[in-house]
């Protein structure tokens, strides 16, 4: 797998310190707006956010629950985001809840915009959004993101949960791949 890596964009130490800071910022906001008893529902978007959300929740001391949503936008070997599709069941009981949607990366914006609409349709009291990475590129759908880990250039990245054709999610660093690895 190592020989497939072109370069390390963000290493594990950089990711860990940024995730710690993000977690603190989210926890502080929750506490200042709702007090220590403010409960939230995290809605991680599968599959790419699993590693990020696992690290992030350990910096959130609040009472929280998790309701995952499964969305696909990069089917198979595609490097182009296709319009987002929801799979499987949605988290129930979102009515009146404070929801934080968590995704790995904001690219065209279609995934986050779709999930946000669905969560609002379920009558959540408040919806916030958090992404580890935000690509610098024009959005197909404009969506406000409340918490961003890193702004990155418009390159295809894998590792720390992000995949190419479902592989490389287990790499601890965020990397770009050699062109030969993406065939
Ligand atoms: P959007 O709907 O175009 O914003 O796409 C967001 C989704 O596309 C993310 O949840 C990722 O699963 C996937 N994605 C976008 N860019 C990348 C990338 O560089 N590497 C891996 N997955 C990506
Ligand atoms: Mg995804």
């Amino acid at each position: 797998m190592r020989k497939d890596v072109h370069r390390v964009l963000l290493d594990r130490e950089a990711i860990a310190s940024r995730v710690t800071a993000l977690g603190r910022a989210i926890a502080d906001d929750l506490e200042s707006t709702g007090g220590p008893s403010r409960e939230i529902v995290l809605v991680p978007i599968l599959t790419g956010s699993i590693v990020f959300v696992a690290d992030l929740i350990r910096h959130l001391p609040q009472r929280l629950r998790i309701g995952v949503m499964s969305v696909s936008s990069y089917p198979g070997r595609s490097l182009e985001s296709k319009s987002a599709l929801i799979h499987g069941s949605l988290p129930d009981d979102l009515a009146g809840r404070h929801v934080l949607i968590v995704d790995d990366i904001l690219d065209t914006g279609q995934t986050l915009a779709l999930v946000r609409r669905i969560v609002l349709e379920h009558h959540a009291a408040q919806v916030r959004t958090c992404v580890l990475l935000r690509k610098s590129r024009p959005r197909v759908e404009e969506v406000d993101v409340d918490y961003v880990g890193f702004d990155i250039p418009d390159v295809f990245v894998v590792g720390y949960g992000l995949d190419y054709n479902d592989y490389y999610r287990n790499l601890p660093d965020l990397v770009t791949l050699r062109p030969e690895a993406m065939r």
Side-chain angles (χ1 to χ4, degrees):
M1 223 160 50
R2 267 213 138 98
K3 65 178 179 8
D4 297 343
V5 171
H6 172 58
R7 88 183 172 93
V8 176
L9 191 73
L10 295 163
D11 66 23
R12 61 203 80 178
E13 288 83 15
I15 299 169
S17 67
R18 184 67 191 121
V19 172
T20 303
L22 261 184
R24 291 214 181 106
I26 294 168
D28 287 353
D29 285 356
L30 285 168
E31 183 140 354
S32 63
T33 53
S37 61
R38 163 64 54 81
E39 194 177 313
I40 53 167
V41 180
L42 251 70
V43 177
I45 303 178
L46 296 183
T47 307
S49 70
I50 57 170
V51 181
F52 175 39
V53 89
D55 284 343
L56 185 70
I57 55 173
R58 284 175 284 175
H59 298 288
L60 301 175
Q62 277 79 13
R63 260 169 82 79
L64 63 81
R65 293 185 302 145
I66 295 180
V68 298
M69 221 178 261
S70 194
V71 180
S72 71
S73 48
Y74 271 53
R77 296 173 196 278
S78 170
L79 294 178
E80 281 291 308
S81 189
K82 306 285 187 292
S83 62
L85 280 176
I86 301 275
H87 304 278
S89 57
L90 307 177
D92 52 7
D93 193 21
L94 292 179
R97 301 289 175 186
H98 292 257
V99 174
L100 180 67
I101 302 169
V102 182
D103 204 1
D104 50 359
I105 185 165
L106 180 72
D107 184 19
T108 66
Q110 294 172 102
T111 303
L112 214 52
L114 173 68
V115 173
R116 200 169 184 282
R117 271 198 300 277
I118 291 170
V119 170
L120 283 169
E121 276 166 15
H122 282 67
H123 308 289
Q126 184 199 48
V127 186
R128 289 203 174 144
T129 50
C130 172
V131 294
L132 177 67
L133 306 169
R134 178 167 60 188
K135 269 191 200 179
S136 129
R137 55 152 291 160
R139 310 272 169 247
V140 174
E141 289 218 41
E142 251 344 295
V143 44
D144 285 335
V145 187
D146 299 287
Y147 304 99
V148 177
F150 300 92
D151 280 296
I152 64 163
D154 187 10
V155 289
F156 196 81
V157 290
V158 300
Y160 198 72
L162 288 89
D163 74 302
Y164 170 66
N165 199 21
D166 244 350
Y167 292 102
Y168 305 107
R169 296 192 196 275
N170 49 326
L171 294 178
D173 305 312
L174 275 156
V175 305
T176 58
L177 293 174
R178 294 190 186 285
E180 312 86 84
M182 295 192 285
R183 280 201 283 249

